Amino acid sequence: MQKINLTAIIPEELANKRLDQALAILFPDYSRARLQSWIKAGQVLVDGTLLKAKEKVSADQEVIIAATIVSNENWRAQPIELNIAYEDDDILVINKPAGLVVHPGAGTPDSTLLNALLHHCPELNTIPRGGIIHRLDKDTSGLLVITKTLPAHTKLVADLQERKISREYEAVVNGVMTAGGTVDAPIARHPKDRVRMAVVLSGKPAITHYRVLEKFRTHTHVKVNLETGRTHQIRVHMAHIHYPIVGDPVYGGRLKLPKGCNEELRTTLQKFKRQALHARRLEFAHPISGEIMTFKAKLPTDMQQLITDLQEDTLNHRS
């Protein structure tokens, strides 16, 4: 359990505001939803009195918060190796390998990134979702930022919602792109297959920018920037414009081998059983200091080998 003890005096400019609104301004390190839960639990006193969230406050009233954050006992710490790119008292940046699920869920109750994080940093048990503010699919590799304190969590969640966190990916897609572009197409659950996501007119807004890094005979190496963060967004958008990601088991379609390719490329493509997608760059303002922080993670070995084989195939077939 974590104890939270806060005090403040209501200033003149917050008089006649709802209690929850005033607290959100007085204590910006904590989300409004969390403050509302403390009010409902009777952990907030205003001049020694319990008030409802919607009740108005007056100038010079004393606010005392004595709250307890209870650990999520369902989460289990497990000694799973982590590739830590950076760590301080407030945040942790992880380079996640392909094959590691980020958060426990149906079918994967443990052996996830969260279980590994709890072993490394037990206090994450009191942070919403274990401090994980954004996700990568199981078979997508690359950078993730984790928050270790409630103030850091509140700030970075807000920055993510306001699109202030820059996330850059690299991918290898099927097909030869003529140029980069932008996909602006809403995403929601597939109307017939609930396991899949799809471009659906009634879905949530989703914007993906992509740029060509290198062209091969029948594939393209691209850089992708997310403006929004929908489930499977890059994978869905690339498939939507008919350039599905190599190896994607859900959206990639049937394997297509370049005509006349050598045995090395044939084997690499046949054995590439995950989406060739890597979160290579992450940039954000540190939630406490405000310092702009930039992290880069080089391509994993399997994607490097894929690109090398595609380059060789292209050279071998030049006229």
Side-chain angles (χ1 to χ4, degrees), residues 207-255:
I207 301 174
T208 303
H209 307 284
Y210 61 94
R211 183 167 67 85
V212 173
L213 294 177
E214 188 173 6
K215 298 178 185 180
F216 309 111
R217 280 205 302 143
T218 57
H219 296 80
T220 310
H221 180 197
V222 296
K223 181 179 78 172
V224 183
N225 288 89
L226 285 179
E227 192 168 317
T228 54
R230 307 304 173 202
T231 300
H232 298 177
Q233 179 172 321
I234 297 174
R235 299 164 63 190
V236 170
H237 274 174
M238 291 298 99
H240 178 66
I241 61 172
H242 308 296
Y243 294 102
I245 295 176
V246 168
D248 193 326
V250 179
Y251 307 101
R254 190 166 55 86
L255 172 65

Short mmCIF file of all heavy atoms in Angstrom, two decimals, residues 207-255:
data_model
loop_
_atom_site.label_atom_id
_atom_site.label_comp_id
_atom_site.label_asym_id
_atom_site.label_seq_id
_atom_site.Cartn_x
_atom_site.Cartn_y
_atom_site.Cartn_z
N ILE A 207 -4.49 8.24 -37.49
CA ILE A 207 -3.66 8.88 -38.50
C ILE A 207 -2.25 8.31 -38.43
O ILE A 207 -1.63 8.29 -37.37
CB ILE A 207 -3.62 10.41 -38.32
CG1 ILE A 207 -5.03 10.99 -38.40
CG2 ILE A 207 -2.71 11.05 -39.37
CD1 ILE A 207 -5.09 12.48 -38.07
N THR A 208 -1.77 7.82 -39.56
CA THR A 208 -0.43 7.24 -39.68
C THR A 208 0.32 7.90 -40.82
O THR A 208 -0.20 7.99 -41.93
CB THR A 208 -0.54 5.72 -39.95
OG1 THR A 208 -1.29 5.09 -38.92
CG2 THR A 208 0.84 5.09 -40.03
N HIS A 209 1.54 8.36 -40.56
CA HIS A 209 2.39 8.94 -41.59
C HIS A 209 3.50 7.95 -41.92
O HIS A 209 4.07 7.33 -41.02
CB HIS A 209 3.02 10.26 -41.11
CG HIS A 209 2.03 11.25 -40.59
ND1 HIS A 209 1.23 12.01 -41.42
CD2 HIS A 209 1.69 11.61 -39.32
CE1 HIS A 209 0.46 12.80 -40.69
NE2 HIS A 209 0.72 12.57 -39.41
N TYR A 210 3.82 7.78 -43.20
CA TYR A 210 4.88 6.85 -43.58
C TYR A 210 5.78 7.46 -44.65
O TYR A 210 5.35 8.31 -45.45
CB TYR A 210 4.30 5.52 -44.07
CG TYR A 210 3.43 5.63 -45.30
CD1 TYR A 210 3.94 5.44 -46.57
CD2 TYR A 210 2.06 5.94 -45.18
CE1 TYR A 210 3.14 5.54 -47.70
CE2 TYR A 210 1.25 6.04 -46.29
CZ TYR A 210 1.80 5.86 -47.55
OH TYR A 210 1.01 5.98 -48.67
N ARG A 211 7.06 7.05 -44.62
CA ARG A 211 8.04 7.55 -45.58
C ARG A 211 8.91 6.40 -46.05
O ARG A 211 9.28 5.54 -45.25
CB ARG A 211 8.92 8.64 -44.93
CG ARG A 211 9.92 9.27 -45.89
CD ARG A 211 10.53 10.53 -45.30
NE ARG A 211 11.38 10.26 -44.16
CZ ARG A 211 12.66 9.93 -44.23
NH1 ARG A 211 13.24 9.78 -45.43
NH2 ARG A 211 13.37 9.74 -43.14
N VAL A 212 9.22 6.38 -47.33
CA VAL A 212 10.03 5.31 -47.90
C VAL A 212 11.50 5.51 -47.50
O VAL A 212 12.07 6.58 -47.69
CB VAL A 212 9.91 5.30 -49.44
CG1 VAL A 212 10.89 4.30 -50.05
CG2 VAL A 212 8.48 4.97 -49.85
N LEU A 213 12.10 4.45 -46.95
CA LEU A 213 13.53 4.46 -46.63
C LEU A 213 14.34 3.76 -47.72
O LEU A 213 15.43 4.20 -48.07
CB LEU A 213 13.78 3.76 -45.29
CG LEU A 213 13.21 4.46 -44.04
CD1 LEU A 213 13.48 3.62 -42.80
CD2 LEU A 213 13.82 5.85 -43.86
N GLU A 214 13.80 2.65 -48.25
CA GLU A 214 14.51 1.91 -49.28
C GLU A 214 13.52 1.02 -50.03
O GLU A 214 12.63 0.41 -49.42
CB GLU A 214 15.62 1.05 -48.66
CG GLU A 214 16.53 0.38 -49.67
CD GLU A 214 17.71 -0.32 -49.03
OE1 GLU A 214 17.77 -0.40 -47.77
OE2 GLU A 214 18.60 -0.81 -49.77
N LYS A 215 13.70 0.94 -51.35
CA LYS A 215 12.83 0.10 -52.17
C LYS A 215 13.60 -1.14 -52.62
O LYS A 215 14.78 -1.06 -52.97
CB LYS A 215 12.35 0.86 -53.40
CG LYS A 215 11.50 2.09 -53.10
CD LYS A 215 11.11 2.80 -54.38
CE LYS A 215 10.37 4.09 -54.11
NZ LYS A 215 9.99 4.79 -55.36
N PHE A 216 12.90 -2.26 -52.64
CA PHE A 216 13.47 -3.51 -53.13
C PHE A 216 12.64 -3.97 -54.33
O PHE A 216 11.75 -3.25 -54.79
CB PHE A 216 13.48 -4.56 -52.02
CG PHE A 216 14.10 -4.06 -50.75
CD1 PHE A 216 13.32 -3.85 -49.61
CD2 PHE A 216 15.45 -3.78 -50.68
CE1 PHE A 216 13.89 -3.37 -48.44
CE2 PHE A 216 16.04 -3.31 -49.51
CZ PHE A 216 15.26 -3.10 -48.38
N ARG A 217 12.91 -5.16 -54.82
CA ARG A 217 12.18 -5.61 -56.02
C ARG A 217 10.68 -5.72 -55.77
O ARG A 217 9.87 -5.31 -56.61
CB ARG A 217 12.72 -6.97 -56.46
CG ARG A 217 14.00 -6.90 -57.25
CD ARG A 217 14.15 -8.12 -58.13
NE ARG A 217 14.11 -9.37 -57.38
CZ ARG A 217 13.54 -10.49 -57.80
NH1 ARG A 217 12.93 -10.52 -58.97
NH2 ARG A 217 13.58 -11.59 -57.07
N THR A 218 10.32 -6.30 -54.63
CA THR A 218 8.88 -6.51 -54.36
C THR A 218 8.50 -6.09 -52.94
O THR A 218 7.42 -6.43 -52.47
CB THR A 218 8.51 -8.00 -54.55
OG1 THR A 218 9.35 -8.80 -53.69
CG2 THR A 218 8.71 -8.43 -55.99
N HIS A 219 9.38 -5.37 -52.26
CA HIS A 219 9.12 -4.93 -50.89
C HIS A 219 9.62 -3.50 -50.70
O HIS A 219 10.36 -2.97 -51.52
CB HIS A 219 9.82 -5.86 -49.89
CG HIS A 219 9.32 -7.26 -49.90
ND1 HIS A 219 9.73 -8.18 -50.85
CD2 HIS A 219 8.45 -7.92 -49.09
CE1 HIS A 219 9.12 -9.35 -50.63
NE2 HIS A 219 8.35 -9.21 -49.56
N THR A 220 9.23 -2.90 -49.57
CA THR A 220 9.67 -1.55 -49.23
C THR A 220 9.98 -1.46 -47.74
O THR A 220 9.22 -1.97 -46.91
CB THR A 220 8.60 -0.50 -49.58
OG1 THR A 220 8.15 -0.70 -50.93
CG2 THR A 220 9.15 0.91 -49.44
N HIS A 221 11.10 -0.82 -47.43
CA HIS A 221 11.48 -0.53 -46.05
C HIS A 221 10.98 0.88 -45.76
O HIS A 221 11.34 1.84 -46.45
CB HIS A 221 13.01 -0.62 -45.92
CG HIS A 221 13.52 -0.33 -44.54
ND1 HIS A 221 14.84 -0.02 -44.30
CD2 HIS A 221 12.91 -0.30 -43.33
CE1 HIS A 221 15.02 0.18 -43.00
NE2 HIS A 221 13.87 0.02 -42.39
N VAL A 222 10.14 1.04 -44.74
CA VAL A 222 9.51 2.33 -44.46
C VAL A 222 9.73 2.79 -43.03
O VAL A 222 9.95 1.98 -42.12
CB VAL A 222 7.99 2.29 -44.74
CG1 VAL A 222 7.70 2.04 -46.21
CG2 VAL A 222 7.29 1.26 -43.87
N LYS A 223 9.67 4.11 -42.85
CA LYS A 223 9.61 4.72 -41.53
C LYS A 223 8.18 5.16 -41.30
O LYS A 223 7.55 5.73 -42.20
CB LYS A 223 10.56 5.92 -41.45
CG LYS A 223 10.57 6.61 -40.08
CD LYS A 223 11.54 7.77 -40.05
CE LYS A 223 10.96 8.98 -40.72
NZ LYS A 223 11.81 10.19 -40.52
N VAL A 224 7.65 4.92 -40.10
CA VAL A 224 6.25 5.23 -39.81
C VAL A 224 6.16 6.05 -38.53
O VAL A 224 6.81 5.73 -37.52
CB VAL A 224 5.42 3.93 -39.65
CG1 VAL A 224 3.95 4.27 -39.42
CG2 VAL A 224 5.57 3.03 -40.86
N ASN A 225 5.36 7.11 -38.57
CA ASN A 225 5.11 7.92 -37.38
C ASN A 225 3.63 7.88 -37.04
O ASN A 225 2.78 8.06 -37.92
CB ASN A 225 5.52 9.37 -37.61
CG ASN A 225 7.02 9.54 -37.64
OD1 ASN A 225 7.63 9.42 -38.69
ND2 ASN A 225 7.63 9.81 -36.50
N LEU A 226 3.35 7.65 -35.77
CA LEU A 226 1.96 7.60 -35.32
C LEU A 226 1.52 8.97 -34.81
O LEU A 226 2.21 9.60 -34.01
CB LEU A 226 1.81 6.60 -34.17
CG LEU A 226 1.83 5.12 -34.52
CD1 LEU A 226 1.69 4.28 -33.27
CD2 LEU A 226 0.70 4.79 -35.49
N GLU A 227 0.37 9.41 -35.28
CA GLU A 227 -0.23 10.62 -34.73
C GLU A 227 -1.27 10.24 -33.68
O GLU A 227 -1.54 10.99 -32.75
CB GLU A 227 -0.86 11.45 -35.85
CG GLU A 227 -1.25 12.84 -35.42
CD GLU A 227 -1.61 13.74 -36.59
OE1 GLU A 227 -0.90 13.71 -37.61
OE2 GLU A 227 -2.61 14.46 -36.48
N THR A 228 -1.84 9.05 -33.83
CA THR A 228 -2.76 8.50 -32.84
C THR A 228 -2.25 7.12 -32.46
O THR A 228 -1.27 6.64 -33.02
CB THR A 228 -4.18 8.39 -33.43
OG1 THR A 228 -4.11 7.63 -34.65
CG2 THR A 228 -4.78 9.75 -33.72
N GLY A 229 -2.92 6.45 -31.52
CA GLY A 229 -2.42 5.17 -31.05
C GLY A 229 -3.50 4.12 -30.90
O GLY A 229 -3.79 3.65 -29.80
N ARG A 230 -4.12 3.74 -31.99
CA ARG A 230 -5.18 2.72 -31.95
C ARG A 230 -4.57 1.32 -31.97
O ARG A 230 -3.46 1.12 -32.46
CB ARG A 230 -6.13 2.88 -33.14
CG ARG A 230 -6.71 4.27 -33.30
CD ARG A 230 -7.42 4.76 -32.06
NE ARG A 230 -7.83 6.15 -32.19
CZ ARG A 230 -8.09 6.96 -31.18
NH1 ARG A 230 -7.96 6.50 -29.93
NH2 ARG A 230 -8.46 8.21 -31.38
N THR A 231 -5.32 0.36 -31.48
CA THR A 231 -4.87 -1.03 -31.49
C THR A 231 -4.56 -1.49 -32.91
O THR A 231 -5.38 -1.30 -33.82
CB THR A 231 -5.96 -1.93 -30.88
OG1 THR A 231 -6.21 -1.51 -29.54
CG2 THR A 231 -5.52 -3.40 -30.87
N HIS A 232 -3.36 -2.05 -33.11
CA HIS A 232 -2.91 -2.57 -34.41
C HIS A 232 -2.89 -1.50 -35.50
O HIS A 232 -2.96 -1.82 -36.69
CB HIS A 232 -3.83 -3.72 -34.88
CG HIS A 232 -3.84 -4.90 -33.98
ND1 HIS A 232 -4.65 -6.00 -34.21
CD2 HIS A 232 -3.16 -5.17 -32.82
CE1 HIS A 232 -4.46 -6.89 -33.25
NE2 HIS A 232 -3.57 -6.41 -32.39
N GLN A 233 -2.77 -0.22 -35.12
CA GLN A 233 -2.96 0.86 -36.10
C GLN A 233 -2.07 0.76 -37.33
O GLN A 233 -2.58 0.81 -38.47
CB GLN A 233 -2.73 2.22 -35.42
CG GLN A 233 -2.89 3.39 -36.40
CD GLN A 233 -2.85 4.74 -35.73
OE1 GLN A 233 -3.39 4.90 -34.64
NE2 GLN A 233 -2.21 5.71 -36.34
N ILE A 234 -0.76 0.61 -37.15
CA ILE A 234 0.13 0.56 -38.32
C ILE A 234 -0.19 -0.66 -39.17
O ILE A 234 -0.26 -0.57 -40.41
CB ILE A 234 1.60 0.54 -37.87
CG1 ILE A 234 1.95 1.84 -37.13
CG2 ILE A 234 2.53 0.34 -39.07
CD1 ILE A 234 3.34 1.85 -36.53
N ARG A 235 -0.41 -1.78 -38.53
CA ARG A 235 -0.68 -3.02 -39.26
C ARG A 235 -1.97 -2.90 -40.08
O ARG A 235 -2.02 -3.31 -41.25
CB ARG A 235 -0.76 -4.18 -38.28
CG ARG A 235 0.53 -4.40 -37.49
CD ARG A 235 0.32 -5.28 -36.28
NE ARG A 235 -0.11 -6.62 -36.66
CZ ARG A 235 -0.55 -7.51 -35.78
NH1 ARG A 235 -0.63 -7.23 -34.49
NH2 ARG A 235 -0.93 -8.72 -36.20
N VAL A 236 -3.01 -2.33 -39.48
CA VAL A 236 -4.29 -2.17 -40.17
C VAL A 236 -4.17 -1.16 -41.31
O VAL A 236 -4.64 -1.40 -42.43
CB VAL A 236 -5.38 -1.73 -39.17
CG1 VAL A 236 -6.66 -1.33 -39.91
CG2 VAL A 236 -5.69 -2.85 -38.19
N HIS A 237 -3.52 -0.03 -41.04
CA HIS A 237 -3.41 1.00 -42.07
C HIS A 237 -2.56 0.56 -43.26
O HIS A 237 -2.89 0.85 -44.41
CB HIS A 237 -2.84 2.28 -41.46
CG HIS A 237 -3.89 3.16 -40.85
ND1 HIS A 237 -3.60 4.31 -40.15
CD2 HIS A 237 -5.25 3.07 -40.86
CE1 HIS A 237 -4.73 4.89 -39.75
NE2 HIS A 237 -5.74 4.15 -40.17
N MET A 238 -1.46 -0.14 -42.99
CA MET A 238 -0.63 -0.61 -44.11
C MET A 238 -1.38 -1.63 -44.97
O MET A 238 -1.29 -1.61 -46.19
CB MET A 238 0.67 -1.20 -43.58
CG MET A 238 1.64 -0.19 -42.97
SD MET A 238 2.22 1.09 -44.14
CE MET A 238 1.13 2.46 -43.72
N ALA A 239 -2.11 -2.50 -44.32
CA ALA A 239 -2.92 -3.47 -45.07
C ALA A 239 -4.04 -2.76 -45.84
O ALA A 239 -4.38 -3.14 -46.97
CB ALA A 239 -3.51 -4.51 -44.12
N HIS A 240 -4.58 -1.71 -45.24
CA HIS A 240 -5.68 -0.97 -45.86
C HIS A 240 -5.26 -0.33 -47.18
O HIS A 240 -6.06 -0.26 -48.13
CB HIS A 240 -6.18 0.11 -44.88
CG HIS A 240 -7.28 0.97 -45.41
ND1 HIS A 240 -8.54 0.48 -45.70
CD2 HIS A 240 -7.31 2.30 -45.73
CE1 HIS A 240 -9.31 1.46 -46.15
NE2 HIS A 240 -8.58 2.57 -46.19
N ILE A 241 -4.00 0.13 -47.25
CA ILE A 241 -3.53 0.75 -48.50
C ILE A 241 -2.81 -0.27 -49.39
O ILE A 241 -2.10 0.10 -50.32
CB ILE A 241 -2.62 1.97 -48.21
CG1 ILE A 241 -1.38 1.58 -47.42
CG2 ILE A 241 -3.42 3.06 -47.50
CD1 ILE A 241 -0.36 2.71 -47.27
N HIS A 242 -2.98 -1.55 -49.05
CA HIS A 242 -2.48 -2.67 -49.87
C HIS A 242 -0.96 -2.82 -49.82
O HIS A 242 -0.35 -3.29 -50.79
CB HIS A 242 -2.97 -2.54 -51.31
CG HIS A 242 -4.45 -2.34 -51.43
ND1 HIS A 242 -5.35 -3.31 -51.02
CD2 HIS A 242 -5.18 -1.28 -51.86
CE1 HIS A 242 -6.58 -2.85 -51.22
NE2 HIS A 242 -6.51 -1.63 -51.72
N TYR A 243 -0.36 -2.44 -48.70
CA TYR A 243 1.05 -2.70 -48.45
C TYR A 243 1.19 -3.35 -47.07
O TYR A 243 1.74 -2.75 -46.14
CB TYR A 243 1.88 -1.41 -48.50
CG TYR A 243 1.94 -0.77 -49.86
CD1 TYR A 243 1.15 0.33 -50.18
CD2 TYR A 243 2.79 -1.28 -50.85
CE1 TYR A 243 1.20 0.91 -51.44
CE2 TYR A 243 2.85 -0.70 -52.11
CZ TYR A 243 2.05 0.39 -52.40
OH TYR A 243 2.10 0.96 -53.66
N PRO A 244 0.65 -4.57 -46.90
CA PRO A 244 0.68 -5.21 -45.58
C PRO A 244 2.11 -5.49 -45.12
O PRO A 244 3.02 -5.67 -45.94
CB PRO A 244 -0.09 -6.51 -45.82
CG PRO A 244 0.07 -6.79 -47.28
CD PRO A 244 0.07 -5.44 -47.94
N ILE A 245 2.29 -5.52 -43.81
CA ILE A 245 3.62 -5.73 -43.24
C ILE A 245 4.04 -7.18 -43.41
O ILE A 245 3.25 -8.11 -43.20
CB ILE A 245 3.63 -5.34 -41.75
CG1 ILE A 245 3.36 -3.83 -41.62
CG2 ILE A 245 4.96 -5.69 -41.10
CD1 ILE A 245 3.25 -3.35 -40.18
N VAL A 246 5.29 -7.38 -43.79
CA VAL A 246 5.84 -8.73 -43.96
C VAL A 246 5.68 -9.52 -42.66
O VAL A 246 5.95 -9.02 -41.57
CB VAL A 246 7.34 -8.65 -44.33
CG1 VAL A 246 8.00 -10.02 -44.22
CG2 VAL A 246 7.51 -8.08 -45.73
N GLY A 247 5.23 -10.76 -42.80
CA GLY A 247 5.13 -11.67 -41.66
C GLY A 247 3.92 -11.49 -40.79
O GLY A 247 3.71 -12.27 -39.85
N ASP A 248 3.10 -10.47 -41.05
CA ASP A 248 1.94 -10.22 -40.18
C ASP A 248 0.96 -11.38 -40.28
O ASP A 248 0.36 -11.61 -41.34
CB ASP A 248 1.26 -8.92 -40.59
CG ASP A 248 0.24 -8.43 -39.56
OD1 ASP A 248 -0.40 -9.28 -38.91
OD2 ASP A 248 0.10 -7.21 -39.39
N PRO A 249 0.75 -12.13 -39.18
CA PRO A 249 -0.10 -13.31 -39.24
C PRO A 249 -1.58 -13.00 -39.34
O PRO A 249 -2.38 -13.86 -39.71
CB PRO A 249 0.22 -14.04 -37.93
CG PRO A 249 0.61 -12.95 -37.00
CD PRO A 249 1.33 -11.93 -37.83
N VAL A 250 -1.97 -11.76 -39.03
CA VAL A 250 -3.39 -11.40 -39.04
C VAL A 250 -3.76 -10.58 -40.27
O VAL A 250 -4.79 -10.82 -40.90
CB VAL A 250 -3.74 -10.60 -37.75
CG1 VAL A 250 -5.22 -10.18 -37.76
CG2 VAL A 250 -3.44 -11.43 -36.51
N TYR A 251 -2.93 -9.62 -40.63
CA TYR A 251 -3.27 -8.69 -41.71
C TYR A 251 -2.37 -8.83 -42.94
O TYR A 251 -2.56 -8.11 -43.92
CB TYR A 251 -3.17 -7.24 -41.20
CG TYR A 251 -3.96 -6.98 -39.94
CD1 TYR A 251 -3.34 -6.94 -38.69
CD2 TYR A 251 -5.34 -6.78 -39.99
CE1 TYR A 251 -4.06 -6.71 -37.53
CE2 TYR A 251 -6.07 -6.55 -38.83
CZ TYR A 251 -5.43 -6.51 -37.60
OH TYR A 251 -6.14 -6.29 -36.46
N GLY A 252 -1.41 -9.74 -42.90
CA GLY A 252 -0.39 -9.81 -43.95
C GLY A 252 -0.80 -10.53 -45.22
O GLY A 252 -0.17 -10.37 -46.26
N GLY A 253 -1.84 -11.34 -45.14
CA GLY A 253 -2.24 -12.08 -46.33
C GLY A 253 -1.31 -13.24 -46.63
O GLY A 253 -0.44 -13.60 -45.84
N ARG A 254 -1.45 -13.81 -47.81
CA ARG A 254 -0.66 -14.97 -48.21
C ARG A 254 0.77 -14.56 -48.55
O ARG A 254 1.01 -13.52 -49.14
CB ARG A 254 -1.33 -15.64 -49.41
CG ARG A 254 -0.74 -17.00 -49.79
CD ARG A 254 -1.67 -17.71 -50.76
NE ARG A 254 -1.97 -16.88 -51.92
CZ ARG A 254 -1.20 -16.82 -53.02
NH1 ARG A 254 -0.09 -17.55 -53.08
NH2 ARG A 254 -1.55 -16.06 -54.04
N LEU A 255 1.73 -15.40 -48.16
CA LEU A 255 3.15 -15.13 -48.44
C LEU A 255 3.38 -15.08 -49.95
O LEU A 255 2.96 -15.96 -50.68
CB LEU A 255 4.03 -16.22 -47.82
CG LEU A 255 5.52 -16.18 -48.18
CD1 LEU A 255 6.17 -14.91 -47.62
CD2 LEU A 255 6.22 -17.42 -47.66
#
